[in-house]
């Protein structure tokens, strides 16, 4: 089977598995086993495609492109490149772990829940693989439906409020992006006489600066909501707190990366002149997200909210790396996306596991867990240290490269009298310090201190839970100690992104 066929199987496998659940929907364990098996097969396919992917070859690999709505210039176009390869692998990797890690967390409408998880997996994978803007937008919107249902049906007491807020924020940004997509394609048709939604064609478009500014604003608003960046972040804590454990893991592990991926794949390369013009503003918002998210995490008493606000801070580093336009910073941003997906997934799984035992997420209700459930305590400390960027973990690799790239890009500007980038880079370092403060405060209260737990003594992790967390732990250290493979896969794509955003594409008569 060719790589192109494998990639199509990778994409559509969750749909096939969702259909298969109709035959086993009466048996909850059969539903879980079928879903896990399908996700595991998807991960194996992703690993095969990852091993075949050559980072030194420009352009798409394992690509498929067939006309879909020919008169509109729409194609079913998917493929792998250095921007999406690691995120595709991350999505496939987390799939079976989400189901295994929260095996007993869902007891109501088990089949319907797993159908929604599979549909969400299909939509997320499709968004990453799409090479046609119309197809990308379809998958982008499709992700909203299963996540809405996952939170709205299986969420907590305030799930209705959380889902409405999530939908309103996302829909508002998406509507503006749709208008921008239509205008962008219309502009390309007016200039060249041919309508096309293909990324490769849109990246050749030359637009006046005022048009670039307007379109970038529309795309950036939609992507910034998904990241989320301050001040568009307020939907995230509510969604995380009310979502069931698998929903939180998917949301933090993969869904938030849609925003940063959108900026890297589309927002900044499509409108390079507007991007460079607004880089100081966007970089400032990124650093505000880093510091403000960390400060908010520092004062939370709900353990889910601590991790939710930490996500805002960590993804601020991704944005900082992308905006630095330095090769190390760009690659660090990609590594940070993957690292945050692994670490946040582990932390939310741990929170879900202790919630199943204690039935509360109040930090003050727990203490001394290292003595009560020592295996849980060990895993919690490992993921805590990865979150604060301890050397040898993936968190260190991503944050170090981002900060290195930010300083490398800022220093020459500082010497030329432009001091803001250096000030922002220095300020971003305080996020590392604040991250250590809120996570170590969390660990000190949660794992150490006087022993206490709601509803009597807690039971330690089961073999299933240990296996899931052990796999995530190995992956975190593997990416932290041996990042060479990932960096080689993404280097050429990072250079291409750097060139696209650094090169003006104003109309010839406007230069």
């Amino acid at each position: 089977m060719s790589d192109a066929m494998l990639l199509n199987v990778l994409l559509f496998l969750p749909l096939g598995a969702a259909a298969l659940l109709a035959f086993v929907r009466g048996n909850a364990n059969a539903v879980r086993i079928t879903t896990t098996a399908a996700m595991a097969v998807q991960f194996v396919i992703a690993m095969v495609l990852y091993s075949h992917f050559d980072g030194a070859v420009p352009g798409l690999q394992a690509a498929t492109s067939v006309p879909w709505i020919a008169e509109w210039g729409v194609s079913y176009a998917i493929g792998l490149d250095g921007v999406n390869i690691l995120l595709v692998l991350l999505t496939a990797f987390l799939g079976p772990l989400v189901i295994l890690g929260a095996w007993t967390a869902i007891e109501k409408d088990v089949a319907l829940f797993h159908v929604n998880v599979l549909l969400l997996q299909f939509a997320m994978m499709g968004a990453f693989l799409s090479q046609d803007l119309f197809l990308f937008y379809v998958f982008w919107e499709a992700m909203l439906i299963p996540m809405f249902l996952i939170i709205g049906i299986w969420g907590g007491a305030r799930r209705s409020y959380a889902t409405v807020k999530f939908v309103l924020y996302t829909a508002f940004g998406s509507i503006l992006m749709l208008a921008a997509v239509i205008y962008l394609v219309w502009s390309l048709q007016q200039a060249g006489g041919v309508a096309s939604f293909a990324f490769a064609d849109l990246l050749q478009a030359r637009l006046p600066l005022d048009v670039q500014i307007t379109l970038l604003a529309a795309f950036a608003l939609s992507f910034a909501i998904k990241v989320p960046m301050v001040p568009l972040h307020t939907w995230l804590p509510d969604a995380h707190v009310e979502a069931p454990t698998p929903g939180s893991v998917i949301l933090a592990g993969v869904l938030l990366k849609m925003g940063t991926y959108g900026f890297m794949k589309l927002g900044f390369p499509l409108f390079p002149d507007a991007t460079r013009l607004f880089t100081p503003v966007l970089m400032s918002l990124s650093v505000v997200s880093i510091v403000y998210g960390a400060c908010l995490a520092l004062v939370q008493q709900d353990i889910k909210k601590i991790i939710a606000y930490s996500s805002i801070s960590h993804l601020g580093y991704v944005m900082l790396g992308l905006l630095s336009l330095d090769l190390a910073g760009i690659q660090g941003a990609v590594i940070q996306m993957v690292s945050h997906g692994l670490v946040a997934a582990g932390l939310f799984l741990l929170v879900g596991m202790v919630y199943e035992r204690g039935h509360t997420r109040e930090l003050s209700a727990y203490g001394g867990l290292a003595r009560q459930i020592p295996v849980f305590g060990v895993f919690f400390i490992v993921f805590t240290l990865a979150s604060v960027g301890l050397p040898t973990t993936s968190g260190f690799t991503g944050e170090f490269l981002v900060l290195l790239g930010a300083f490398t890009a800022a220093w020459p500007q500082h010497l030329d009298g432009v001091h803001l980038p250096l000030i922002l880079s220095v300020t971003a370092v305080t996020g590392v310090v604040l991250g250590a403060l809120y996570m170590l405060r969390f660990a000190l209260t949660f794992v150490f201190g006087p022993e206490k737990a709601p509803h009597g003594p807690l039971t330690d992790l089961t073999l299933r839970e240990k296996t899931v967390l052990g796999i995530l732990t190995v992956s975190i250290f593997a990416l932290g100690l041996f990042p060479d493979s990932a960096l080689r896969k993404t280097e050429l794509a990072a250079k291409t992104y750097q060139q696209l955003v650094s090169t003006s594409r104003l109309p010839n008569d406007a230069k």
Side-chain angles (χ1 to χ4, degrees):
M1 187 179 293
S2 68
D3 284 353
M5 291 180 66
L6 275 177
L7 192 63
N8 283 279
V9 173
L10 175 84
L11 174 58
F12 286 98
L13 185 61
L15 278 187
L20 188 60
L21 292 187
F23 299 98
V24 295
R25 63 182 183 276
N27 186 325
N29 278 334
V31 168
R32 296 182 181 110
I33 292 169
T34 302
T35 305
T36 305
M39 297 281 203
V41 172
Q42 188 184 45
F43 172 63
V44 171
I45 296 172
M47 280 297 298
V48 171
L49 291 167
Y50 178 82
S51 66
H52 291 177
F53 184 83
D54 187 350
V57 175
L60 294 175
Q61 299 178 39
T64 297
S65 181
V66 294
W68 180 16
I69 311 175
E71 58 271 23
W72 292 2
V74 176
S75 298
Y76 166 73
I78 62 171
L80 292 172
D81 57 26
V83 179
N84 67 16
I85 182 66
L86 291 181
L87 295 172
V88 167
L89 185 62
L90 173 69
T91 306
F93 175 71
L94 290 180
L97 298 182
V98 167
I99 305 302
L100 282 173
W103 192 267
T104 57
I106 302 298
E107 297 179 345
K108 179 182 73 171
D109 297 325
V110 175
L112 180 61
F113 175 82
H114 286 79
V115 166
N116 277 287
V117 170
L118 288 164
L119 293 177
L120 184 57
Q121 185 82 350
F122 167 67
M124 293 188 301
M125 196 68 78
F128 284 135
L129 292 175
S130 296
Q131 303 299 325
D132 179 279
L133 191 51
F134 186 93
L135 184 66
F136 172 83
Y137 189 81
V138 169
F139 281 120
W140 179 270
E141 290 295 282
M143 289 184 292
L144 180 64
I145 301 169
M147 181 53 75
F148 173 85
L149 294 174
I150 286 171
I151 300 174
I153 298 175
W154 294 274
R158 297 175 70 246
R159 57 185 180 272
S160 297
Y161 171 77
T163 49
V164 169
K165 194 172 183 179
F166 169 62
V167 169
L168 286 177
Y169 267 78
T170 307
F172 177 69
S174 297
I175 289 169
L176 292 178
M177 185 169 73
L178 177 61
V181 166
I182 294 169
Y183 185 83
L184 177 61
V185 174
W186 177 82
S187 298
L188 184 65
Q189 184 178 19
Q190 293 297 108
V194 178
S196 175
F197 284 82
F199 290 172
D201 294 331
L202 296 175
L203 287 171
Q204 305 303 316
R206 292 184 173 274
L207 300 170
L209 183 59
D210 58 338
V211 174
Q212 285 195 36
I213 290 171
T214 303
L215 296 182
L216 175 63
F219 273 85
L221 183 64
S222 184
F223 295 149
I225 289 171
K226 266 292 198 294
V227 172
M229 293 177 70
V230 174
L232 304 170
H233 66 287
T234 59
W235 65 269
L236 180 65
D238 293 311
H240 267 310
V241 167
E242 300 307 323
T245 298
S248 291
V249 175
I250 296 169
L251 185 59
V254 181
L255 208 59
L256 299 187
K257 313 306 175 298
M258 291 295 166
T260 49
Y261 172 78
F263 275 116
M264 186 176 184
K265 184 72 176 181
L266 292 170
F268 297 152
L270 282 173
F271 317 110
D273 301 279
T275 298
R276 294 196 305 277
L277 180 65
F278 285 100
T279 289
V281 175
L282 293 169
M283 192 173 284
S284 298
L285 288 175
S286 301
V287 175
V288 168
S289 297
I290 291 171
V291 176
Y292 186 60
C295 290
L296 287 174
L298 190 59
V299 298
Q300 298 303 315
Q301 291 301 313
D302 186 306
I303 54 182
K304 256 194 173 184
K305 279 192 176 181
I306 296 173
I307 306 169
Y309 282 118
S310 75
S311 295
I312 297 170
S313 184
H314 286 298
L315 290 169
Y317 285 106
V318 177
M319 293 302 299
L320 181 64
L322 293 178
L323 290 162
S324 71
L325 293 186
D326 178 84
L327 182 60
I330 297 165
Q331 288 196 276
V334 177
I335 297 296
Q336 179 70 357
M337 280 192 267
V338 177
S339 173
H340 176 263
L342 298 172
V343 175
L347 287 170
F348 274 115
L349 283 171
L350 283 164
V351 169
M353 291 168 187
V354 81
Y355 179 76
E356 282 189 61
R357 291 158 168 81
H359 307 293
T360 180
R361 291 188 299 267
E362 286 299 314
L363 184 58
S364 58
Y366 298 95
L369 296 187
R371 290 183 292 278
Q372 299 178 65
I373 43 176
V375 177
F376 176 93
V378 169
F379 277 117
F380 186 83
I381 292 301
V382 168
F383 284 98
T384 295
L385 294 175
S387 179
V388 303
L390 184 76
T392 71
T393 67
S394 58
F396 173 79
T397 305
E399 289 184 6
F400 175 78
L401 288 174
V402 165
L403 291 172
L404 175 64
F407 275 99
T408 302
W411 187 252
Q413 298 180 64
H414 170 69
L415 296 178
D416 291 339
V418 181
H419 306 301
L420 180 62
L422 186 61
I423 293 171
L424 292 174
S425 300
V426 172
T427 306
V429 177
T430 64
V432 178
V433 179
L434 290 170
L437 283 175
Y438 68 71
M439 286 306 297
L440 293 178
R441 162 191 169 266
F442 186 11
L444 184 65
T445 305
F446 196 52
V447 181
F448 302 105
E451 292 186 31
K452 55 180 175 177
H455 308 296
L458 304 178
T459 56
D460 213 341
L461 301 182
T462 64
L463 178 60
R464 169 183 56 80
E465 293 168 331
K466 293 174 189 175
T467 301
V468 171
L469 294 172
I471 292 170
L472 281 169
T473 300
V474 170
S475 66
I476 286 168
F477 282 106
L479 185 57
L481 291 169
F482 308 105
D484 287 358
S485 173
L487 292 173
R488 284 197 301 269
K489 301 281 189 185
T490 61
E491 183 176 1
L492 183 59
K495 289 179 178 176
T496 302
Y497 165 83
Q498 187 181 39
Q499 183 179 9
L500 284 171
V501 182
S502 301
T503 304
S504 174
R505 283 211 309 280
L506 294 173
N508 292 325
D509 56 359
K511 294 183 179 178

